[in-house]
Amino acid sequence: MTEAEDRKPQSDEARMAFTPPAGVEVGDSESETTSEFALPKGLGVPQPPPPEEGSAFSAPRGYSAEDTLPGFTPPGGIPQVSLTKDVPWQDRMRTMLRMPVAERPAPERPHKAEEEGPAVPRVLDLTLRIGELLLAGGEGAEDVEAAMFAVCRSYGLDRCEPSVTFTLLSISYQPSLVDDPVSAARTVRRRGTDYTRLAAVYQLVDDLSDAETHISLEEAYRRLAEIRRNRHPYPTWVLTAASGLLAGAASVLVGGGLLVFVAAAVGAMLGDRLAWLAAGRGLPEFYQFTVAAMPPAAVGVALTLSHADVKASAVITGGLFALLPGRALVAGVQDGLTGFYITAAARLLEVMYFFVGIVTGVLVVLYFGVNLGAKLNPDAALHISERPYWQIAASMLLSLTFAVLLQQERSTVLAVTLNGGVAWVVYGAMRYAGELSPVASTAVAAGLVGLFGQLMARYRFASALPYTTAAIGPLLPGSATYFGLLSIAQNEVDAGLVSLATAASLALAIAIGVNLGSEISRLFLRISSPEKRRSAKRTRGF
């Protein structure tokens, strides 16, 4: 090669960075090690020295691999969880929801699936529609999630995760770890109390969860449409009469007579009609509670101004019994105790708004009554006459009418009436005969209501709400609420706040007692063989 040829610019191929320099021998490329993690030739890896005697890394004397405890995964693998099939689906689904996804037992077979497999979007849509009816009917968030999980699992979708908040339902399904998840959501905008519809939805979920029942997706949609179209079992005039009887029974419960019974019933029915009128005009529920609380208070003030020999306080207290949102309070506390804190906060905030509406309506009437010269005595709360037989009968009538207002099935009315009577007997025995604290007496009575209600619901494979909500009616703190408001209207703010704090304590005692009774009922139920219902891990403040 001449000197002129050396000075000529080389081609792009000659100037490539991967072209070896002249004079360097290149071996077989297939046999060369090209990994950047490979050690160079001739470089040895020093081995760590053996641990000294007594070191923290040395095995203890007498150590044997056969004697070691199982680590994170047992030698035989994680045992399969087999849930008993003779318990209600609520408990089985709740148990699986509290398991990690990897440990949930797979469904035996998707017996509701079509030949080509279930249509995932339609199954999720059906699940959300069922959850919407349950949540709008007042069911707790944990029970709604259990029902949604049961519907998905009955159609073979085992890797699904439902999520429930106060107004939003969502569910996500992922076929496997490498597939894209499918998610759907639905908003609950309207709420209504109809326990007949709630029981029908529970029956549908129970039939879907039954391995011996074959319900196609189209059949499930048809039954759900029929449930939505069903009319209320009781007409409007029956609900108005039930509201009056409830207030009258509550007035007898706190010491009223026949005239007080009639006056409280008339005031409550007027309030109910005003609330219906406000609802028909599209007013929010806050104003509905406000206008519904005014007529009973006005009737009580009118009786006082007429100098009639009646207990006007019992008239106003009876009207408050028909308005206090007992079920919403119990549902809020239950959601908080089961870990649904966002939903619990929203429910309790709703209860607070309703309570403020009631307070506003009663305070307006009491303020004008006091200015007109009405002699209302707050000390009358300390002199409630003890008439056990009349009070037991009044408590049962109160529970009966409360069940009608909740649109319960006729087959459940007798059971909830007896449950309410038993609750008042327990409360009266502890409060008057045993002279115990009213908060403790209320908590124990509410606990029995929750216990019997859950056991009856599990026996009937239905929701526990129809058996517990109306039964707690006689325990509601209507008297303490009224006397607290009366003290505030008479410029005795300290005494009023104390009485309202007592009412709040009684309300919380009812809610916690019902939830505790429901949890105790699970001790009598056999949920699973090797895996019991898991509780949430506690952080102990860390």
Side-chain angles (χ1 to χ4, degrees):
M1 183 180 297
T2 63
E3 184 177 355
E5 292 177 352
D6 290 339
R7 293 176 181 177
K8 288 177 60 179
Q10 298 181 356
S11 63
D12 293 338
E13 183 179 359
R15 294 199 309 266
M16 288 182 60
F18 301 100
T19 303
V24 178
E25 296 182 0
V26 180
D28 189 5
S29 59
E30 296 182 358
S31 62
E32 291 290 331
T33 302
T34 58
S35 174
E36 57 180 312
F37 300 102
L39 295 175
K41 295 181 178 180
L43 179 62
V45 181
Q47 298 294 329
E52 301 178 357
E53 184 68 23
S55 172
F57 301 97
S58 61
R61 296 179 179 179
Y63 174 82
S64 175
E66 289 80 5
D67 301 331
T68 58
L69 295 175
F72 295 99
T73 303
I78 299 176
Q80 183 181 4
V81 179
S82 59
L83 302 174
T84 56
K85 299 180 180 179
D86 54 345
V87 297
W89 59 266
Q90 300 100 305
D91 299 304
R92 289 187 281 118
M93 297 302 113
R94 188 181 291 109
T95 302
M96 282 189 286
L97 272 177
R98 297 194 173 192
M99 295 180 187
V101 179
E103 297 183 17
R104 291 176 186 170
E108 296 180 358
R109 59 187 181 92
H111 53 272
K112 278 81 175 183
E114 284 76 9
E115 294 181 358
E116 66 276 5
V120 174
R122 299 202 66 197
V123 172
L124 297 184
D125 179 71
L126 174 68
T127 302
L128 290 174
R129 292 177 183 273
I130 290 177
E132 178 189 11
L133 288 180
L134 293 177
L135 188 63
E139 194 63 80
E142 187 180 28
D143 294 323
V144 175
E145 282 195 358
M148 294 172 65
F149 186 76
V151 175
C152 286
R153 190 175 176 83
S154 65
Y155 287 100
L157 309 184
D158 57 326
R159 298 181 62 89
C160 62
E161 288 294 338
S163 179
V164 176
T165 58
F166 186 60
T167 58
L168 182 64
L169 297 167
S170 62
I171 188 168
S172 177
Y173 170 69
Q174 188 175 14
S176 65
L177 294 177
V178 297
D179 293 326
D180 295 333
V182 181
S183 300
R186 196 174 183 87
T187 303
V188 179
R189 302 189 184 277
R190 296 189 59 186
R191 300 177 183 274
T193 304
D194 188 348
Y195 283 179
T196 300
R197 177 180 296 175
L198 190 70
V201 176
Y202 259 77
Q203 184 62 46
L204 174 59
V205 178
D206 183 40
D207 293 340
L208 290 173
S209 304
D210 190 0
E212 299 179 357
T213 305
H214 301 275
I215 300 179
S216 64
L217 203 59
E218 298 300 329
E219 176 68 15
Y221 267 107
R222 186 190 63 79
R223 289 183 55 177
L224 189 62
E226 290 180 355
I227 293 173
R228 285 181 174 273
R229 288 194 300 264
N230 280 346
R231 299 178 61 87
H232 298 308
Y234 306 104
T236 304
W237 67 269
V238 173
L239 300 180
T240 302
S243 178
L245 291 176
L246 189 154
S251 65
V252 174
L253 202 63
V254 295
L258 179 60
L259 183 58
V260 172
F261 180 92
V262 175
V266 171
M269 287 189 289
L270 288 176
D272 181 75
R273 287 292 87 197
L274 285 178
W276 277 100
L277 181 62
R281 296 297 184 271
L283 292 179
E285 286 186 293
F286 175 86
Y287 301 105
Q288 298 177 28
F289 276 85
T290 301
V291 299
M294 288 183 175
V299 171
V301 170
L303 290 176
T304 304
L305 292 175
S306 64
H307 303 287
D309 188 16
V310 295
K311 294 184 65 173
S313 60
V315 177
I316 303 176
T317 300
L320 290 178
F321 266 86
L323 297 176
L324 293 178
R327 174 54 206 164
L329 176 67
V330 173
V333 174
Q334 179 180 358
D335 287 341
L337 294 176
T338 52
F340 295 84
Y341 300 114
I342 297 178
T343 307
R347 288 186 188 272
L348 294 179
L349 185 62
E350 181 188 39
V351 171
M352 187 192 72
Y353 272 103
F354 292 163
F355 188 76
V356 171
I358 297 171
V359 167
T360 303
V362 176
L363 274 181
V364 169
V365 176
L366 291 181
Y367 178 77
F368 284 105
V370 170
N371 289 336
L372 291 175
K375 303 297 182 181
L376 300 171
N377 184 16
D379 295 333
L382 304 176
H383 305 286
I384 297 178
S385 59
E386 299 179 13
R387 301 171 298 174
Y389 296 108
W390 282 103
Q391 288 176 332
I392 293 174
S395 65
M396 296 179 67
L397 178 61
L398 194 153
S399 299
L400 172 64
T401 53
F402 205 170
V404 174
L405 287 176
L406 294 174
Q407 301 281 0
Q408 291 190 197
E409 291 181 304
R410 293 179 174 86
S411 59
T412 64
V413 171
L414 178 59
V416 75
T417 301
L418 296 177
N419 201 5
V422 172
W424 180 259
V425 168
V426 173
Y427 172 81
M430 297 181 63
R431 177 71 182 96
Y432 301 117
E435 297 182 353
L436 297 178
S437 168
V439 176
S441 304
T442 302
V444 173
L448 289 178
V449 168
L451 175 62
F452 294 153
Q454 283 287 343
L455 293 179
M456 183 62 69
R458 295 304 185 263
Y459 175 75
R460 297 284 299 272
F461 281 66
S463 172
L465 291 183
Y467 300 98
T468 58
T469 304
I472 64 174
L475 305 176
L476 293 175
S479 181
T481 303
Y482 160 68
F483 288 108
L485 299 179
L486 179 59
S487 298
I488 293 176
Q490 294 180 346
N491 292 326
E492 299 177 4
V493 180
D494 294 340
L497 293 179
V498 170
S499 185
L500 290 180
T502 303
S505 301
L506 293 173
L508 289 177
I510 293 174
I512 296 176
V514 170
N515 181 263
L516 183 61
S518 302
E519 296 298 325
I520 292 176
S521 68
R522 304 184 196 281
L523 299 177
F524 301 95
L525 300 173
R526 187 165 56 93
I527 298 178
S528 59
S529 48
E531 181 84 13
K532 295 297 181 182
R533 181 190 181 198
R534 291 187 174 184
S535 60
K537 292 184 178 180
R538 303 302 175 195
T539 59
R540 290 186 173 88
F542 299 109

